[in-house]
Structures are given as C-alpha cells and as structure tokens.
Amino acid sequence: MATSQRKILVTSALPYANGPIHLGHMLEYIQTDIWARFQKLRGHECHYICADDAHGTPIMLKAQQLGMAPEEMIAQVQKEHQQDFADFNIQFDNFHSTHSDENRELASEIYLKLRDGGYIKSKTISQLFDPEKSMFLPDRFVKGTCPKCKSVDQYGDNCDSCGATYSPTDLIDPKSAVSGATPVMKETEHFFFDLPAFEEMLKEWTRSGSLQQEMANKLGEWFEQGLQQWDITRDAPYFGFEIPDAPGKFFYVWLDAPIGYMGSFKNLCDKRGDLNFDEFWAKDSTAEVYHFIGKDIVYFHSLFWPAMLEGAGFRKPNSVYAHGYVTVNGAKMSKSKGTFIKARTYLDNLNPEYLRYYYAAKLSSRIDDLDLNLEDFAQRVNSDLVGKLVNLASRTAGFISKRFDGKLAKVADTSLTETFLAKADAIAEFYETREFGKAMREIMALADIANAYVADAAPWQLVKQEDKQEEAHQVCSNALNLFRILVTYLKPVLPKLAQDVEAFLQLELTWADLAKDLSGHEIAPFKALMQRVEMKNIEAIIEASTENLQVAEAPKSELDLDPISEEISFDDFVKLDLRIARIAKAEHVPEANKLLKLQLDLGGVTKQVFAGIKSAYAPEDLEGKLTVMVANLAPRKMRFGMSEGMVLAAGPGKKDLWILEPHEGAQPGMRVK
C-alpha cells in the first residue's frame, strides 16, 4: 500500500463575495475537501487553497445599496464565508481574496506577458451606456423584450423563454436594470484576448484526458462554432484592478478570478516560507494542479484559463473536474418551499458531517446533478452512520472499559481484519478517481459484515459466562479494531467523527497504520459519537428557509398611514407583470363584506381574482370594463377559492376607490409599460 509522495495543489471555484453560502455551493467544497483530505491521509504533500471572488459590477452596486465601501462589504462577506466553511469542517490551507496585492501583481504580470506576446488586441466597440448613472452596462444589467420570441423582461445576453442568445443592443425597448433609464449607444476602446490563437493547443489539451468526457464533448461544440476573441475590459466605474497603462480601464472580473488561485497560493508561500511558488506554477513544474468547479463555469476554466496560462508562460492544470447542480427533493432550490437552504441555516440545526456523508454517498466522477432528498438524507444517515458505524463501537466498547481494564486483547482469528484491509486499495482508487459513492458503498458493506459478526458472537451473552470471558474480550477487541479501520477509511469524509474516535481509541488514524496491531492497547471510556437525525430538525430548516412570497392583505383602515416600506430595487419592480384584462364576469361573494369575485380575460387566458372593491363597485358596473392586473402573482388559496392575481386600485377606501383603467385602444393581454 506504500505510494511515492506527490506534490498536489487543489482548488475549488471561488465563491462570489456578494452573498451567503448555500447547500448548492457546499457540494463543491465538500467534494474538494474530501479529495484533498484523502491525499493528505495517504501521506502526500497536498495544498487546498481558495479565495473570495471579490470584483465586478454586482459587488460595486450592492455595496452602494448598503451604503458602504466595496472593500468593507467584501471583508464582511469573507468573514461569514470562512466561518461557514470552518463549521462544515472544510480544511483550506489558505483562504484569500481576489482583491489582494498578490492577485493584482499576478494579473498585471499575466496581462503584460500576453500583450507583449501579441495576444491582446485593441478594438473600439459600441456599448449600451446608462446616462443617469454614467456607466456602461454589463449584459445582465440591461433588460428588455427578446428580439426572437418577443418575451418581455429578458436579460441582455439571453432569453429565459426561448433560449436565444443575442447582444444587448438587439433587445427591443432596452432598460437599465440599475436606474430604469433608457440606455444609449456609446463608443469605447476595449482590449481583447486572442483566444483563437490557441485553438490547436486547446483542442489537444481538452482531448488529453485532462477533462471529463462530457466536458470535452461540450468544448468540441464550441470549437465547431469557432472560438471568439474575449473582451477582458470594463470601463470605470468598476470595482476591480485597473489595467496597466490604461487609465479608467479595468480587468473584467473573469480575467483576475482564476488568477486568484495563483494569488492565494502565492500568499500561502509568502506566509509559510518553505513553499516555492514556481515549483507548482512554472512551465516545467512536475507538481500536480487540479481545479474542482461547477458545470456552469466550464467555458472559462477549460478554454480561457489554460490559454491565458499558456500565453503567459505558466503551466496548465493537470485536470479540471466539473460537478452538477444540487436539487432538493427532486426540484430546483426554492425559497417559497424552504429548500433554498443557506449553509448557516443548516448548521444551526444539524451536524455538518451528516451532509458531508450524504453528498459523498451520492457523488461520482460524472457531471450528474445530485438530489438532496431530505427524507432519504435522514434515513441514510441514521442507517449508515448511527445504525451501522457508530453502533459497532457503542455495542462493544463498554465491555472493554468495565470488564477488561480498558485494554484490547490480542485477537487470535484475524480473518475479518484481513478482509477489511484487502479493500484498502480499491477504496483508495475510488477516492482518487472521485467515485466517492462507490467508496461509501464498499465501506458500508464492510460495516454490515462487522455488525453481523458482533450479532452472531453476542458478547453481551458471553460476558455472563465465566468460561467465555476471553472470547468476549477478543470479540469486542476485534469489533473495535474493525471499527478503527472503517473510521480511517471514512476520515476524509467525517473528520470530526474521526477526531472523536482518535480521542476514544487514544491513537491517530492513519492510512499507513491500517494494519497496526492493537494488542494490549488502552482505550478511553466510550462516549456517544453521533445522534440520529430527527425530522423535526429538518422541518426547522425548511421553516427557517421559507420566504413568504404572498402579498399581504390590504390594510383594514380607510387610509394606510404606515411609513413607506423598505425600498425595492428596479430589478424587483420589473418582475411585476402588469397586464390589461377585460372583466368578463363579476359577482358577489357570499359571506364576504369587501370582496367581489372577478373572471379576468387576458386575451385567451382567464384568471380568477378576489378583489376588495365591493364598497365602490356593483358587479354589473364592472362587467366589460378593462382594468390592469398583476398577472404573475403567485396563486393564493382563500376561504372562498383560489385568487390568481391582483387588480390594481387606488383611493382612501369605501366609495372612494377606483380600479386602474387603461387608455382607449388597449387590448386584453397587453403588457403595461
């Protein structure tokens, strides 16, 4: 089982510094952490580094919204991120920020090498400009009507309705998502990275085994479409690094974000003093570099990043490993269903090792989405970790402490130990190839064997018989030795449990010592190692994660004199889909003092709405009228039936209440702008 020592640098994608970590993010950090811990457990020199991705327009605007400097906001977010990671037992060797001196120096160095090598091109481009905010607008900060399918409220780079991609200048009736102003075209000089110059190198590298097959196939489609030069410039105002010799021009966040891997490692090298940066990043490096990422950022990591490294004279990564998304209970994470779960919400209610194990049990080397089924999660953790693993020690350890002076016996029959040790290479290979689910199945199959052995030997019966004491001592000692091997195999997945077991067994769990003879070894008294998952804890997580998306009832007073509510952004406002509707039918609602039941025709689609306008209108006065409704309000179950929208009305109340009536010429179904 001996292996020669490797030098390994491993990274996870950098979390964006404008919000909290959620359980979808945690999949990647848990996956990477397990792999890095495994390499260390095998005796290799492995460094796991990461950083916050701290640049870009969204961060600049959010900081403005919060009334603080971007530097202050990213420092606060970084502190929260690091606490979440630490509490999930993610063991970074260094966690840094892309807004750092190391990253600035490396980004400038790489850019200048690319420029001097002829790989940076200058072009004058026309771009949408917000005249109110005096800023050029990134694609995602322009909204309008899709030029292909005419769907409204679409982003400036692609349509959620029909999937079309386009330039923000192609949008119909574009609006700035920052101020709501109509943007104007303005020329500006930008710098472009000449990605097509690296096409042959990239074709060879992407088919070299450095990528998963699915990734390589996807990149093949992009090669067929033809590689494009990549715009690496953003104009002031922008939170990022200014481009050398180009005042007012900044590196696009995606240029300096992957360089953040190098920046974080450089920071680690400077702090430690015994690490050599060039040994890992120089062109002739024999060290190994691996990136773990989500499938949504494959393009940047598998085309731009290796091309930038090649052009600047640095080594390329050995492999880029992508994973799929996390779904919860078979669907996308949902704030209304309480399944958009923040890392902190989970940590407030459950042991982080439960999730580490569940993710490990479902992870493979493929780019499949992973479903966090909460009921299955509880059953799997309770069955495998509590019922099989921890139970092995809890059934036997007490006898060693109470009857045998806390010391383990020399076991005569070592056949089970040999069976367990024989699986070491297979389990190691599963870890190495990121087939964590297969590793967990092998380990739990061994746990089943160990539990069957204890059940058959029944030491609780043996200890009652005077002539069976030695046999009982051997059975319990054998069980605890098998338990030690199992927990050693699981140490990359369950580091806190392993730490507790090391305190209990009074020895360090290492891969090199799997075959260690524990004859006569003294153990500490056994303490409970893990509790069962209770559904009440899961329900508490869902409840704490559920955001009420329903609109509050109208105020009961004649005039709402409450202070103005918390401000919403233009982004929030444009989510409202205001439509012209014809009141096809209006009727009284029995037992309701204020409500009328309306059938609203939106041009072929009819929606039922309960409106609190009975004090001002008789049903017969409304039928045939046109009004304006909020058409995309989530349906709300009321005592009288389902209300599928909201009619817009204004006034102090009672008879002085007027529904909003559109101008003549409006047609049912038309959007109000």
Side-chain angles (χ1 to χ4, degrees):
M1 288 188 283
T3 55
S4 57
Q5 193 187 53
R6 298 153 59 188
K7 289 181 179 291
I8 302 168
L9 177 63
V10 59
T11 75
S12 296
L14 312 184
Y16 203 45
N18 72 335
I21 303 297
H22 58 68
L23 296 196
H25 295 132
M26 284 311 309
L27 175 69
E28 181 172 310
Y29 302 100
I30 288 172
Q31 181 188 32
T32 319
D33 185 66
I34 290 171
W35 197 80
R37 283 179 182 272
F38 165 71
Q39 301 299 346
K40 293 173 183 177
L41 184 62
R42 296 277 278 170
H44 299 305
E45 179 188 332
C46 180
H47 310 283
Y48 177 20
I49 56 101
C50 198
D52 262 348
D53 182 1
H55 289 156
T57 303
I59 283 173
M60 178 183 75
L61 293 175
K62 184 163 185 181
Q64 286 176 10
Q65 191 180 35
L66 295 172
M68 59 174 67
E71 292 85 353
E72 184 185 356
M73 188 189 86
I74 63 174
Q76 182 178 309
V77 170
Q78 181 169 349
K79 188 176 177 183
E80 292 166 3
H81 284 183
Q82 288 191 262
Q83 191 61 57
D84 286 347
F85 290 136
D87 290 349
F88 260 105
N89 303 324
I90 306 298
Q91 189 180 48
F92 295 117
D93 291 280
N94 200 48
F95 192 92
H96 204 35
S97 169
T98 59
H99 192 64
S100 67
D101 291 339
E102 297 90 349
N103 204 36
R104 182 192 299 274
E105 290 163 11
L106 283 161
S108 297
E109 177 187 345
I110 287 172
Y111 167 78
L112 291 172
K113 284 181 175 178
L114 293 174
R115 187 190 69 181
D116 295 347
Y119 300 120
I120 301 295
K121 310 296 181 185
S122 173
K123 294 182 193 176
T124 297
I125 64 166
S126 293
Q127 198 176 357
L128 289 175
F129 183 82
D130 185 327
E132 287 189 17
K133 288 289 186 179
S134 296
M135 63 180 286
F136 285 97
L137 294 167
D139 296 351
R140 300 294 281 183
F141 284 82
V142 183
K143 286 193 167 185
T145 299
C146 171
K148 303 286 172 65
C149 73
K150 306 300 186 287
S151 291
V152 297
D153 195 27
Q154 298 303 314
Y155 285 112
D157 53 358
N158 73 281
C159 176
D160 287 338
S161 294
C162 71
T165 56
Y166 42 73
S167 165
T169 55
D170 296 330
L171 279 175
I172 300 167
D173 193 24
K175 289 281 185 284
S176 165
V178 182
S179 69
T182 299
V184 297
M185 294 300 296
K186 191 173 179 181
E187 287 191 342
T188 180
E189 182 189 22
H190 273 207
F191 303 121
F192 289 76
F193 174 52
D194 191 9
L195 186 65
F198 298 90
E199 182 170 348
E200 290 308 312
M201 179 278 290
L202 288 170
K203 280 183 177 177
E204 183 181 335
W205 183 76
T206 56
R207 291 293 182 184
S208 67
S210 293
L211 307 179
Q212 293 134 298
Q213 193 62 46
E214 304 103 303
M215 280 174 65
N217 292 343
K218 184 65 182 173
L219 292 175
E221 296 174 19
W222 284 322
F223 287 126
E224 288 173 18
Q225 295 168 10
L227 299 180
Q228 303 296 315
Q229 291 188 342
W230 180 38
D231 188 346
I232 61 167
T233 314
R234 292 297 181 265
D235 290 277
Y238 190 78
F239 184 61
F241 293 143
E242 202 164 32
I243 298 175
D245 307 324
K249 305 290 182 184
F250 291 78
F251 288 129
Y252 174 41
V253 60
W254 264 111
L255 181 125
D256 69 72
I259 297 172
Y261 300 136
M262 302 171 79
S264 183
F265 187 64
K266 179 74 164 58
N267 178 255
L268 178 64
C269 291
D270 292 344
K271 284 194 291 193
R272 282 191 29 172
D274 62 339
L275 274 179
N276 187 313
F277 179 84
D278 291 337
E279 193 175 354
F280 286 81
W281 285 106
K283 189 82 172 174
D284 59 354
S285 169
T286 56
E288 302 168 47
V289 175
Y290 300 96
H291 299 306
F292 285 74
I293 62 166
K295 63 182 179 181
D296 55 326
I297 52 175
V298 164
Y299 197 93
F300 294 102
H301 282 79
S302 302
L303 292 177
F304 298 135
W305 179 229
M308 283 166 52
L309 290 168
E310 179 78 10
F314 290 100
R315 58 86 48 81
K316 295 184 288 293
N318 292 70
S319 294
V320 177
Y321 297 132
H323 59 81
Y325 298 133
V326 171
T327 57
V328 180
N329 294 338
K332 279 185 176 180
M333 288 185 171
S334 163
K335 291 182 178 178
S336 61
K337 293 178 182 174
T339 56
F340 190 93
I341 302 168
K342 295 175 185 174
R344 183 52 49 190
T345 307
Y346 176 97
L347 289 163
D348 287 342
N349 291 278
L350 283 174
N351 183 337
E353 306 239 305
Y354 298 158
L355 190 71
R356 290 179 65 101
Y357 177 75
Y358 189 75
Y359 277 171
K362 301 195 80 170
L363 271 165
S364 73
S365 62
R366 298 182 304 279
I367 314 179
D368 300 332
D369 290 348
L370 185 152
D371 186 45
L372 171 57
N373 181 294
L374 295 172
E375 193 171 321
D376 177 58
F377 163 79
Q379 291 173 352
R380 179 84 64 105
V381 169
N382 290 342
S383 170
D384 289 1
L385 298 187
V386 181
K388 295 179 183 180
L389 184 67
V390 171
N391 191 42
L392 194 57
S394 63
R395 295 163 82 189
T396 56
F399 297 123
I400 297 291
S401 296
K402 292 172 188 172
R403 293 178 175 267
F404 306 113
D405 299 325
K407 293 182 179 177
L408 302 180
K410 181 168 184 62
V411 178
D413 182 359
T414 59
S415 57
L416 272 183
T417 300
E418 287 159 13
T419 298
F420 275 44
L421 295 175
K423 290 292 185 181
D425 287 345
I427 291 168
E429 182 63 17
F430 287 142
Y431 272 124
E432 180 67 42
T433 56
R434 306 174 327 286
E435 293 287 353
F436 297 165
K438 290 180 180 177
M440 297 309 101
R441 286 192 287 278
E442 285 281 4
I443 294 165
M444 285 306 149
L446 293 176
D448 284 335
I449 292 170
N451 277 290
Y453 161 73
V454 172
D456 289 344
W460 46 89
Q461 298 292 347
L462 296 174
V463 294
K464 296 176 183 176
Q465 303 171 52
E466 193 63 38
D467 60 342
K468 299 285 187 179
Q469 297 303 299
E470 179 55 29
E471 186 179 347
H473 194 187
Q474 288 206 27
V475 168
C476 293
S477 299
N478 201 15
L480 288 177
N481 188 47
L482 299 177
F483 173 71
R484 174 186 66 87
I485 296 171
L486 291 173
V487 177
T488 304
Y489 287 154
L490 285 166
K491 191 175 180 179
V493 180
L494 306 171
K496 178 61 170 65
L497 177 70
Q499 186 180 19
D500 292 343
V501 170
E502 286 174 333
F504 157 55
L505 293 179
Q506 301 190 132
L507 52 77
E508 185 182 359
L509 301 176
T510 69
W511 204 277
D513 288 338
L514 280 169
K516 186 182 180 76
D517 182 0
L518 297 185
S519 301
H521 180 77
E522 187 171 350
I523 63 171
F526 180 79
K527 295 177 184 175
L529 293 168
M530 198 168 268
Q531 305 300 319
R532 289 173 58 83
V533 177
E534 301 292 343
M535 287 309 293
K536 67 180 181 183
N537 297 112
I538 290 175
E539 288 161 7
I541 288 172
I542 292 173
E543 186 177 347
S545 304
T546 302
E547 289 189 13
N548 184 5
L549 304 182
Q550 303 294 342
V551 175
E553 286 186 23
K556 292 185 169 54
S557 60
E558 290 187 10
L559 187 61
D560 181 8
L561 297 177
D562 288 344
I564 293 173
S565 303
E566 182 183 343
E567 290 183 350
I568 63 170
S569 69
F570 181 74
D571 247 3
D572 293 323
F573 174 71
V574 295
K575 290 176 185 175
L576 295 178
D577 188 357
L578 303 180
R579 298 274 175 162
I580 308 297
R582 185 176 64 85
I583 304 173
K585 188 176 181 182
E587 54 189 311
H588 292 288
V589 180
E591 303 176 32
N593 297 327
K594 298 180 180 179
L595 296 178
L596 291 180
K597 180 179 176 182
L598 308 179
Q599 300 296 331
L600 301 178
D601 174 15
L602 287 96
V605 177
T606 301
K607 291 203 174 194
Q608 176 174 284
V609 171
F610 290 92
I613 55 175
K614 188 173 180 176
S615 61
Y617 292 95
E620 56 271 20
D621 296 336
L622 291 172
E623 290 185 2
K625 279 184 182 264
L626 294 180
T627 188
V628 178
M629 74 171 293
V630 182
N632 64 337
L633 193 63
R636 183 180 180 192
K637 188 171 175 50
M638 302 180 74
R639 185 156 58 98
F640 315 103
M642 191 68 74
S643 187
E644 301 175 292
M646 178 180 281
V647 168
L648 298 190
K654 294 193 176 176
K655 291 189 177 181
D656 294 327
L657 190 64
W658 300 279
I659 60 169
L660 192 58
E661 297 186 48
H663 297 297
E664 291 181 10
Q667 297 294 321
M670 285 177 60
R671 185 177 171 89
V672 178
K673 297 182 180 178

